[in-house]
Amino acid sequence: MPKLNPRVLEWISPTLRMATLFALAFLPVCLPAQAFEGHESTTLVRVNAEPGQWGLKIVVFDVGQADAILLLTPNGDVAVIDTGRRNSDGEKIATYLTDASKNGVGKLTDIGLLYSTHYDSDHIGGLPKLVGQGIRIEKAYDQGPSAMRSLRTDKGNPTVYSKYVTALGDPDGDSLRDPDEANFVRHTIEYGDMETLGLRRDVKILCVAVRGDTRGKRHDLDLDLSIEGRSINKNAGSIALLVRLGEFEFYTAGDQTSGEWKGEPATEEAVIRSGAIPDGNDIDVLKVGHHGSDTSTGNRLAAEMLPEVAIVSTKYGRYGFPKRIVLKQLQDNRSYVLITGDGLDGHSNYTDAETNEDDAFAASPDAVFNEQGDVTVLVSPDGDRYTVYGKAFAKTFSARDTDNKR
């Protein structure tokens, strides 16, 4: 019980004195916080960037509140998932590709596969500059034509979406190769579409959700952007991708939504309940949805995907991402959380969400790592282990689900 100075008690009436002591007896006792226990391995050898030591490299670029992710295999195969918001984001991707000292492979000028999860500017805005730097796109996947996006502003200027489709050789935005569109590379993705990377084609990229469809019409949430005269949540239909090498699995889904707090379409839950992810929902590395917004990363996703590492691509700004409730979800499920930019507000706090669940939450310095810059994941050639690197983070994990039981 907290102690009160005896001289103070002398100034209190006997009745009030007893009431005060009784109240103090029931004040909460501050116990030391339980040490965070993640799942890094102290026995496995780190996967490093030396030739022959890795089979897949994933880079989540630090592009502020935006997404830009690069997949690279040792033979120089490249896939990019979203391209950030600004010209500088496109330049950053191009510089990484063309600088052998950065990518560890050589001067690369071709992106074999481009995935654009949805058409918000913070996911497609960097593409024109990327292409303008001499980077060639061989095949691009997106949600197809959008009746919700205009090609011109009210003043007649090209929109971000217009510049995006033009960079893919589809200036009219219809997702069809016309006779005068010689540089057309745009393709509409569907659930179940799979591409491969690597000399042995052993890196697999599988679409597990798009436009709300996770496993056939039984799970379709009817989020097709091409239907005119509708007002739907464009984030909810984001393309969700599972990247796999051996036992290793990486999940990224743009701004895909959860229905837990704000009544958003429950596309996260649809992926989980439908069995869209082969061999179960447990994954290794999660790229956190919607930059750490409380519209994504619900309890069910965190508890069933059980990522060993979760990466938040954001920087604190007008929307206050990442939200504390998202960090709590992940920390409670023993995930290490890496934030690419500075996620703290002006008072050195993470932002509250519209929920009481995070009121008493404090991010553990052993679990949540702020301002990590570009985050790199190096996966061993057989996919059995992987190492995650940030500015102040370097931990190695087993990719076998049986080694990471909660």
Side-chain angles (χ1 to χ4, degrees):
M1 185 182 74
K3 293 183 179 180
L4 198 61
N5 191 316
R7 293 187 177 180
V8 174
L9 287 175
E10 291 176 2
W11 290 90
I12 303 176
S13 69
T15 301
L16 184 57
R17 187 184 311 166
M18 290 300 297
T20 302
L21 292 173
F22 184 83
L24 287 170
F26 285 90
L27 284 175
V29 177
C30 294
L31 298 175
Q34 184 176 358
F36 177 77
E37 182 185 356
H39 282 276
E40 82 280 11
S41 172
T42 56
T43 58
L44 291 175
V45 177
R46 285 185 181 177
V47 183
N48 62 47
E50 296 300 317
Q53 297 300 302
W54 55 277
L56 172 65
K57 180 183 292 187
I58 302 172
V59 182
V60 180
F61 289 106
D62 179 12
V63 288
Q65 188 187 296
D67 275 2
I69 303 168
L70 182 140
L71 312 177
L72 176 64
T73 56
N75 68 317
D77 282 354
V78 176
V80 168
I81 305 169
D82 292 335
T83 52
R85 181 192 303 273
R86 302 176 296 269
N87 286 338
S88 59
D89 299 337
E91 288 178 348
K92 186 169 192 175
I93 300 169
T95 298
Y96 187 91
L97 287 173
T98 55
D99 188 339
S101 67
K102 291 181 181 292
N103 64 54
V105 174
K107 183 177 181 179
L108 305 172
T109 57
D110 290 352
I111 293 175
L113 297 165
L114 171 71
Y115 296 87
S116 299
T117 59
H118 61 300
Y119 302 132
D120 282 354
S121 60
D122 56 327
H123 294 256
I124 64 171
L127 179 63
K129 189 65 175 182
L130 174 62
V131 172
Q133 296 290 297
I135 303 299
R136 185 172 73 94
I137 310 295
E138 296 178 7
K139 189 175 187 179
Y141 279 118
D142 59 27
Q143 294 187 47
S146 175
M148 300 178 65
R149 299 288 181 175
S150 300
L151 296 176
R152 296 285 169 180
T153 67
D154 292 341
K155 295 183 178 181
N157 298 318
T159 62
V160 172
Y161 178 68
S162 174
K163 294 175 182 178
Y164 163 79
V165 295
T166 299
L168 298 179
D170 185 31
D172 61 5
D174 64 357
S175 292
L176 298 173
R177 183 191 291 273
D178 299 320
D180 60 343
E181 293 176 343
N183 297 319
F184 182 93
V185 295
R186 192 180 182 201
H187 300 265
T188 300
I189 199 167
E190 302 294 342
Y191 165 80
D193 284 349
M194 187 176 76
E195 296 282 357
T196 58
L197 301 174
L199 198 60
R200 295 178 296 178
R201 318 313 296 175
D202 50 359
V203 175
K204 298 176 173 61
I205 308 172
L206 175 66
C207 175
V208 297
V210 58
R211 300 180 298 275
D213 186 10
T214 60
R215 203 181 182 189
K217 294 301 178 183
R218 184 166 65 91
H219 300 285
D220 194 342
L221 298 177
D222 197 18
L223 301 173
D224 192 343
L225 296 181
S226 67
I227 300 174
E228 294 188 24
R230 297 177 58 198
S231 178
I232 63 174
N233 186 323
K234 56 189 178 299
N235 294 331
S238 292
I239 296 170
L241 299 171
L242 181 74
V243 180
R244 189 168 190 173
L245 172 59
E247 294 277 344
F248 172 81
E249 292 178 317
F250 171 75
Y251 182 83
T252 181
D255 290 356
Q256 189 178 69
T257 56
S258 166
E260 289 194 22
W261 295 295
K262 292 189 170 181
E264 303 284 341
T267 45
E268 284 185 354
E269 292 85 348
V271 170
I272 292 167
R273 73 170 183 263
S274 70
I277 298 178
D279 303 324
N281 293 321
D282 194 347
I283 58 101
D284 296 290
V285 178
L286 169 71
K287 200 288 295 176
V288 174
H290 203 177
H291 322 292
S293 167
D294 51 346
T295 59
S296 299
T297 320
N299 282 295
R300 188 168 182 182
L301 180 137
E304 294 203 30
M305 286 194 172
L306 294 172
E308 278 69 65
V309 176
I311 304 170
V312 187
S313 180
T314 197
K315 178 181 180 181
Y316 180 85
R318 60 182 292 193
Y319 297 109
F321 299 156
K323 300 295 187 182
R324 289 200 305 176
I325 189 63
V326 173
L327 303 180
K328 181 181 188 299
Q329 241 67 270
L330 297 164
Q331 181 175 305
D332 284 353
N333 284 283
R334 297 168 66 185
S335 300
Y336 292 97
V337 184
L338 279 67
I339 304 167
T340 55
D342 185 358
L344 298 170
D345 66 15
H347 303 286
S348 298
N349 297 315
Y350 297 110
T351 308
D352 286 338
E354 295 175 11
T355 172
N356 294 326
E357 293 183 43
D358 63 357
D359 285 351
F361 171 71
S364 166
D366 297 321
V368 179
F369 294 79
N370 189 43
E371 210 167 358
Q372 291 303 296
D374 297 345
V375 175
T376 300
V377 183
L378 289 174
V379 186
S380 63
D382 58 7
D384 270 8
R385 60 191 167 90
Y386 62 98
T387 304
V388 180
Y389 295 94
K391 283 183 180 177
F393 189 95
K395 296 184 185 297
T396 301
F397 304 83
S398 169
R400 295 178 180 271
D401 290 345
T402 54
D403 294 340
N404 298 321
K405 292 293 185 183
R406 293 308 198 251

